[in-house]
Amino acid sequence: MAEPYITDERDYEAMQLLEIGLELSESEYSEEDEDFIPVVELDSSPRFLLNSDQATTTAAATAENLNFQEEEVDVDEERNKRRRVDKLGSGGDICCRNGGDDADGESSQNSQWNRSEFDGLFCPICMEAWTNEGDHHICCLPCGHLFGLSCIEKWLRQRGRLAKCPQCNRKGTLRDIRKLFVPRIAVVDEESQKRIRFLEEKCASLVKKGVDLCKKESEWKRREAALQLEVQKCKERTIYLEHLLGDLQSRPSGLATAYRGSQGHEFGNSIYSDVYRQGSSSCFMLQRELRVDGARLFDVDASGKILLLVRRVPKMGGSHVLTKMSLIPPHESEDIFLPPGTKIIKDLHISPTNGSLALFASLGKKLSVLSMESNNVILSYDLPAAAWSCSWDRNCSHYVYAGLQNGSLLVFDMRVTGSPVESRLGHTTDPIHTVQSLQHISTLPSGLKTVVSASSVGMCQWNFGGEEERPFLIPQTTNQGVCISLAYCASSDDIVVSYRPRVEMSNEVFSQTLLKPSPVTGQGVLGSHLHLKRVGSNYEKLGIACSTVSGIRLPKSSIIDRPNQKPLFVTGDEVSCGLILQELPSFTATQRLKSHQHCIYDVKYTSTHSQGLLGCLSEDTVQLFSTKLS
């Protein structure tokens, strides 16, 4: 029987469509597949000869039958879609399949599930996921539509010169196929991208607002701290004024009533009661109180608004560090770590002529000069013994002094970095715990450097640059007890030497008729303060008073020179752990300042043109009091 007769191009395409549909149905589906699509098969036993009209009619009927069955399949696919959506991995990526080796039933089933859920990720001819290698490699035609390589090659090969894109009917050939090398293909949702960009901008705006709020919060906290400080100062002033008013009302004469001991000498407010003189213009008010840990010594640079402290740090094995703290809120601080071998620092002084330099002496047999600008030790001298004290020369900024543990005193010229320019032995081998450079006076020879020092035996004067080679003891300061402190005021040449009794030599008689057992129970012992005034090359004794002093430590004290008024002697009270201000030479108490929780370790006074600044240091607190200078 003759083959079907094809009359035109439309009949040819209809027959090709029928053959491709039957071939794909036989190769891609089986009756065991739950998505098996039954197709119409042509009975090939009797061969019919069809003319062109009959062939066209038969092909059209077959195509309609296939379209109807595909619509039924689409309905089934939509029905099964809801059942399979839970089986799809919500977090997984739909990528190209690898090579075609995983052709088992489970992979095929997963591919079937993905077809209806993720349109555009599968070959539109075979409805299987394309791969990034192998026969089904993802590729495209010039029109941009994507197919599996084996499917589009077969499609175009069967159509020959009439080959077209299965999706847009644009002409294409095998030469037009282009492989694509991508790990996966994803379509960007423009609406989602706009939403993401909007949310990102909103998030950035919220972050910026959060930063601004943090800055405002920090500023308000700073203001709150400043206000709290002002409130504290007002409270201190109120308490002081109330106390002063009550004291004046109880004393019509207006003078402070002094406690008189059994020998008739004034004890200056009996060591306990707060007594103030009427009309005192040098009233110190608490300016600020700063918390510090392990502080031992300090000094103040009033012009540079800098506080330099010596601290003992337990976390570092008890070693000492220098801490530089700003007096301007928020009081930023910075630790300065010292070279190895420095050990315990015994004395510290900022240069009176150059606030950028500081001098400190240590038990590590070192005398060191620190730069306050670079926070580095710029000069260090090796000493023959441990250093207990140091001082700047008040007349020449190049010279510094060091008092040693063996009782000797060394002079250094910072322009000579190798060794001391002069070295003198003392009267005893007792440590020199205080060194003070005296102000040069015109009656003394030019070039003579005068220094006073204090050790347990009393006060010594040293003359460098003259004929005298050994120091000499000041007679008024001997046989008073154990000398524990020396304060000197350069502007007025006033000196106060403090003593405590010699408890280890109780049978010996000293000229200490004023020293009586302390009538109170508390810290410290009853000692004395001796007031001297330098007159030329001699010293005049002006007064002496009893006071409670430390029985163990070497306390610090200071003298305040007041214009047109008598000077004040400032020292720590061992009973109340506060500062007491006494007018010289009577040692009458004029003011008692706020107490500390611990004993006072150091006292310093400095001044500018309009303000006097008094500081006192305990183990955990440094207090700064100020007064206006007339």
Side-chain angles (χ1 to χ4, degrees), residues 122-263:
F122 302 93
C123 174
I125 298 177
C126 66
M127 298 306 295
E128 290 291 340
W130 40 54
T131 66
N132 55 11
E133 59 183 7
D135 295 337
H136 208 250
H137 196 291
I138 183 172
C139 61
C140 69
L141 293 177
C143 58
H145 292 108
L146 306 176
F147 307 95
L149 179 61
S150 59
C151 294
I152 192 62
E153 283 182 345
K154 189 172 182 180
W155 178 275
L156 298 178
R157 191 179 294 111
Q158 289 181 351
R159 282 153 183 75
R161 60 184 182 83
L162 301 177
K164 297 179 181 179
C165 173
Q167 292 188 310
C168 65
N169 286 331
R170 182 178 174 178
K171 290 185 178 181
T173 63
L174 293 173
R175 295 182 178 179
D176 295 329
I177 299 175
R178 296 291 183 269
K179 288 185 178 182
L180 301 178
F181 298 92
V182 293
R184 63 181 177 181
I185 296 178
V187 180
V188 176
D189 188 350
E190 186 62 26
E191 292 298 326
S192 298
Q193 291 297 309
K194 290 181 180 179
R195 179 67 176 171
I196 291 173
R197 286 193 293 269
F198 169 75
L199 293 177
E200 288 177 347
E201 292 175 358
K202 189 173 183 180
C203 182
S205 176
L206 292 176
V207 171
K208 183 179 179 182
K209 288 182 180 179
V211 173
D212 294 338
L213 289 176
C214 289
K215 292 181 179 179
K216 290 181 180 180
E217 181 183 9
S218 177
E219 177 65 21
W220 284 115
K221 285 183 178 180
R222 186 188 66 80
R223 294 183 181 181
E224 181 183 8
L227 290 176
Q228 288 179 352
L229 181 60
E230 293 295 329
V231 170
Q232 182 65 26
K233 291 168 64 175
C234 292
K235 288 181 179 179
E236 293 286 339
R237 183 171 180 81
T238 301
I239 294 173
Y240 163 70
L241 293 176
E242 289 177 351
H243 203 148
L244 181 61
L245 179 61
D247 187 68
L248 294 178
Q249 288 176 350
S250 63
R251 295 170 176 79
S253 64
L255 296 177
T257 302
Y259 176 88
R260 295 187 177 273
S262 58
Q263 300 298 325

Side-chain angles (χ1 to χ4, degrees), residues 182-361:
V182 293
R184 63 181 177 181
I185 296 178
V187 180
V188 176
D189 188 350
E190 186 62 26
E191 292 298 326
S192 298
Q193 291 297 309
K194 290 181 180 179
R195 179 67 176 171
I196 291 173
R197 286 193 293 269
F198 169 75
L199 293 177
E200 288 177 347
E201 292 175 358
K202 189 173 183 180
C203 182
S205 176
L206 292 176
V207 171
K208 183 179 179 182
K209 288 182 180 179
V211 173
D212 294 338
L213 289 176
C214 289
K215 292 181 179 179
K216 290 181 180 180
E217 181 183 9
S218 177
E219 177 65 21
W220 284 115
K221 285 183 178 180
R222 186 188 66 80
R223 294 183 181 181
E224 181 183 8
L227 290 176
Q228 288 179 352
L229 181 60
E230 293 295 329
V231 170
Q232 182 65 26
K233 291 168 64 175
C234 292
K235 288 181 179 179
E236 293 286 339
R237 183 171 180 81
T238 301
I239 294 173
Y240 163 70
L241 293 176
E242 289 177 351
H243 203 148
L244 181 61
L245 179 61
D247 187 68
L248 294 178
Q249 288 176 350
S250 63
R251 295 170 176 79
S253 64
L255 296 177
T257 302
Y259 176 88
R260 295 187 177 273
S262 58
Q263 300 298 325
H265 297 276
E266 292 188 359
F267 273 66
N269 81 1
S270 185
I271 311 176
Y272 311 108
S273 60
D274 293 327
V275 181
Y276 309 100
R277 292 185 60 86
Q278 182 182 19
S280 175
S281 61
S282 298
C283 176
F284 282 87
M285 302 301 300
L286 180 64
Q287 183 178 7
R288 58 179 58 90
E289 186 174 85
L290 305 175
R291 302 290 296 180
V292 294
D293 293 326
R296 292 295 182 268
L297 301 168
F298 83 106
D299 203 356
V300 183
D301 177 17
S303 60
K305 303 294 183 182
I306 293 295
L307 193 67
L308 187 62
L309 302 105
V310 175
R311 296 194 305 118
R312 182 177 181 271
V313 184
K315 294 182 179 179
M316 298 177 58
S319 61
H320 282 200
V321 299
L322 294 177
T323 299
K324 189 168 68 173
M325 182 180 295
S326 173
L327 296 180
I328 303 174
H331 306 294
E332 296 179 351
S333 62
E334 181 180 4
D335 287 337
I336 304 172
F337 297 97
L338 302 175
T342 303
K343 296 185 179 181
I344 297 175
I345 296 177
K346 296 291 290 184
D347 204 3
L348 171 72
H349 296 281
I350 295 177
S351 172
T353 58
N354 185 1
S356 63
L357 297 178
L359 180 70
F360 62 91

Side-chain angles (χ1 to χ4, degrees), residues 12-83:
Y12 177 79
E13 290 183 355
M15 291 301 295
Q16 291 290 332
L17 178 61
L18 178 60
E19 293 178 1
I20 293 298
L22 293 175
E23 182 176 354
L24 292 177
S25 299
E26 293 175 354
S27 61
E28 299 293 336
Y29 299 97
S30 64
E31 294 186 3
E32 289 79 14
D33 194 337
E34 64 175 358
D35 293 331
F36 172 71
I37 303 175
V39 297
V40 176
E41 297 184 0
L42 296 180
D43 189 2
S44 58
S45 53
R47 306 282 291 183
F48 295 98
L49 180 62
L50 304 177
N51 58 26
S52 61
D53 294 336
Q54 291 174 332
T56 303
T57 302
T58 303
T62 304
E64 289 180 2
N65 191 17
L66 288 174
N67 292 334
F68 175 76
Q69 293 178 4
E70 289 177 357
E71 292 176 359
E72 288 183 346
V73 171
D74 292 339
V75 172
D76 292 338
E77 285 291 330
E78 290 293 328
R79 187 181 300 115
N80 294 331
K81 177 179 179 180
R82 294 180 179 85
R83 297 199 305 267

Side-chain angles (χ1 to χ4, degrees), residues 409-612:
L409 185 66
L410 277 63
V411 185
F412 293 90
D413 185 349
M414 292 194 298
R415 296 168 295 186
V416 181
T417 61
S419 59
V421 293
E422 288 194 62
S423 177
R424 302 274 180 88
L425 296 176
H427 280 281
T428 67
T429 57
D430 295 335
I432 298 177
H433 56 72
T434 308
V435 175
Q436 294 283 356
S437 170
L438 300 185
Q439 192 74 25
H440 183 73
I441 54 179
S442 57
T443 57
L444 296 177
S446 178
L448 182 67
K449 302 178 185 64
T450 305
V451 177
V452 292
S453 67
S455 61
S456 61
V457 297
M459 187 178 80
C460 289
Q461 177 172 316
W462 310 65
N463 295 322
F464 297 98
E467 296 179 357
E468 297 181 7
E469 292 294 331
R470 290 184 60 83
F472 62 91
L473 283 168
I474 307 302
Q476 299 93 322
T477 65
T478 60
N479 299 327
Q480 297 290 331
V482 179
C483 178
I484 57 176
S485 177
L486 184 149
Y488 169 68
C489 179
S491 57
S492 63
D493 270 338
D494 286 292
I495 298 174
V496 175
V497 187
S498 301
Y499 300 88
R500 63 168 170 248
R502 294 182 182 273
V503 294
E504 73 278 4
M505 301 177 66
S506 57
N507 295 329
E508 215 174 309
V509 179
F510 295 97
S511 58
Q512 301 183 53
T513 56
L514 294 179
L515 297 180
K516 300 295 181 181
S518 176
V520 298
T521 301
Q523 296 180 354
V525 296
L526 192 59
S528 64
H529 299 306
L530 174 64
H531 179 208
L532 303 174
K533 191 173 185 67
R534 183 189 179 203
V535 181
S537 58
N538 300 317
Y539 296 89
E540 180 182 352
K541 179 179 177 181
L542 299 182
I544 187 170
C546 293
S547 178
T548 303
V549 298
S550 174
I552 301 175
R553 295 178 295 102
L554 297 176
K556 302 291 185 178
S557 56
S558 184
I559 299 176
I560 301 174
D561 185 24
R562 301 182 297 174
N564 303 321
Q565 296 185 71
K566 294 180 179 180
L568 293 177
F569 173 63
V570 186
T571 186
D573 184 6
E574 292 295 318
V575 177
S576 64
C577 296
L579 278 183
I580 180 171
L581 281 67
Q582 298 171 304
E583 188 177 84
L584 297 176
S586 64
F587 289 95
T588 303
T590 61
Q591 189 176 359
R592 183 181 292 274
L593 301 179
K594 181 179 178 181
S595 301
H596 289 244
Q597 293 182 353
H598 304 281
C599 294
I600 293 176
Y601 287 148
D602 200 1
V603 177
K604 291 289 173 61
Y605 174 78
T606 185
S607 62
T608 58
H609 296 291
S610 60
Q611 185 184 47

